[in-house]
Amino acid sequence: LYKFGAFVEWPPTAFDSAAAPAQICIAGADPFGVLLDRAVRGQRIAGHPIAVLRVDRVDKGVPCHILFVAPSPRQPVAEALDKVRGAPVLTVTEDGPDPASRGVIDFVLRDGRVRFRIDSRAAEGDGLAISSKLLSLAVKP
């Protein structure tokens, strides 16, 4: 999840300062647990140290740079995504049948492997630039 950050360019206003952390937020059911915390320890995104935040609900202004949204009884995925639409937040989701429940990056199962697809229009709308290297690795919708 955090490795996507190396292939994304956020607008300068997305960070409060050069020393501000790149915030990875997990909303809904957390499939990563402590493994994510361990994986990001000492890592950086665009020179920013990484911090992990788990949230029960996503609201406008949530301080996230990368937001993984999983299904939750507290908030539908589509509603959570709508709260950050237009903000410089890289949204990541798991394959769902409803297009409104798909983030900029959406994990999918293909041939027994976890892959991802990218909605480059959604990224542009959120003020994010996705590297052509990452786009070339994505599966087609």
Side-chain angles (χ1 to χ4, degrees):
L1 182 65
Y2 77 92
K3 291 193 178 208
F4 287 133
F7 300 95
V8 176
E9 187 177 319
W10 282 264
T13 57
F15 295 92
D16 292 335
S17 71
Q23 193 86 310
I24 297 177
C25 300
I26 310 299
D30 181 358
F32 309 107
V34 297
L35 295 176
L36 179 60
D37 299 277
R38 288 183 196 145
V40 302
R41 193 172 297 132
Q43 300 294 320
R44 294 181 168 276
I45 293 175
H48 297 270
I50 300 173
V52 177
L53 175 67
R54 289 165 177 86
V55 296
D56 288 329
R57 292 185 53 82
V58 175
D59 290 307
K60 289 191 184 292
V62 66
C64 304
H65 297 95
I66 299 175
L67 173 64
F68 179 83
V69 184
S72 166
R74 301 209 52 192
Q75 185 177 40
V77 172
E79 178 185 313
L81 294 172
D82 192 51
K83 297 286 186 181
V84 296
R85 195 169 325 284
V89 177
L90 178 67
T91 53
V92 182
T93 54
E94 295 176 310
D95 188 21
D98 179 12
S101 295
R102 294 181 190 149
V104 170
I105 296 178
D106 189 44
F107 287 118
V108 294
L109 271 177
R110 294 277 168 93
D111 302 322
R113 298 177 62 193
V114 176
R115 303 292 308 265
F116 59 91
R117 59 184 162 213
I118 297 176
D119 184 339
S120 54
R121 283 191 201 142
E124 285 179 28
D126 293 341
L128 305 172
I130 307 287
S131 159
S132 60
K133 290 179 184 178
L134 187 61
L135 289 170
S136 71
L137 296 173
V139 296
K140 304 299 177 222

